[in-house]
Amino acid sequence: MYTASCLCGGIQLKINTEIPEVFVCHCGQCQKAQGSAFVAIAPIETKYLEILQGHTLFSEYFATENKKRVFCKACGSPLFSARLDLPEVIRLRVGIINEPLSAHIASHAFIDYKAAWFEILDEAKKFHEGLN
Ligand SMILES: [Zn+2]
Ligand SMILES: [Zn+2]
């Protein structure tokens, strides 16, 4: 169990499941969306995501047709993404989790697009493409 919130605190979430693994994506879209070298996500079954507060603050952006990127419209924090054809899973941005996360990095995706200034130093699996 974890709690999560956006930068302004308007959105408060509860994650009612364990998060054993974090997946890192280095693609250009994720760099832009996070304003950083990569995104770090955990796939969560949508049924385990509980919205405690902030329903009216959710906003979404489609960089690609089939995937919505959900963020807080007050503070801009990225919250999760979800494929329209896979609504039962969200990809939580693990940076919004409030508690220390005892997860390890499972893999790096789209490593050919990695930021030049960032070096991958862990031994996790590396993929030239996304996982799905
Ligand atoms: Zn916010
Ligand atoms: Zn990506």
Side-chain angles (χ1 to χ4, degrees):
M1 314 291 162
Y2 293 97
T3 64
S5 54
C6 62
L7 181 58
C8 74
I11 292 175
Q12 299 287 336
L13 307 173
K14 210 170 141 210
I15 316 298
N16 294 312
T17 187
E18 292 308 312
I19 299 177
E21 292 185 318
V22 166
F23 296 81
V24 175
C25 183
H26 296 270
C27 84
Q29 280 187 2
C30 286
Q31 291 187 38
K32 294 278 187 195
Q34 312 306 308
S36 191
F38 55 80
V39 69
I41 69 104
I44 305 285
E45 283 189 67
T46 307
K47 65 182 177 191
Y48 294 131
L49 174 73
E50 199 178 322
I51 300 167
L52 302 177
Q53 185 191 303
H55 291 83
T56 60
L57 292 175
F58 283 82
S59 195
E60 36 190 64
Y61 177 73
F62 289 79
T64 49
E65 234 172 55
N66 189 37
K67 186 167 77 177
K68 63 176 176 183
R69 292 170 177 269
V70 181
F71 60 96
C72 172
K73 70 179 171 196
C75 68
S77 286
L79 305 167
F80 57 86
S81 65
R83 277 170 46 179
L84 297 188
D85 62 348
L86 201 65
E88 59 272 22
V89 177
I90 61 148
R91 294 168 177 201
L92 186 75
R93 274 50 190 159
V94 295
I96 66 168
I97 294 172
N98 296 321
E99 296 81 15
L101 186 56
S102 58
H104 68 275
I105 296 178
S107 67
H108 295 269
F110 289 107
I111 54 165
D112 297 337
Y113 301 90
K114 181 181 75 59
W117 54 269
F118 180 80
E119 197 180 345
I120 298 173
L121 293 171
D122 61 68
E123 299 301 313
K125 277 176 271 177
K126 298 182 184 69
F127 295 98
H128 293 285
E129 312 261 309
L131 283 179
N132 41 28

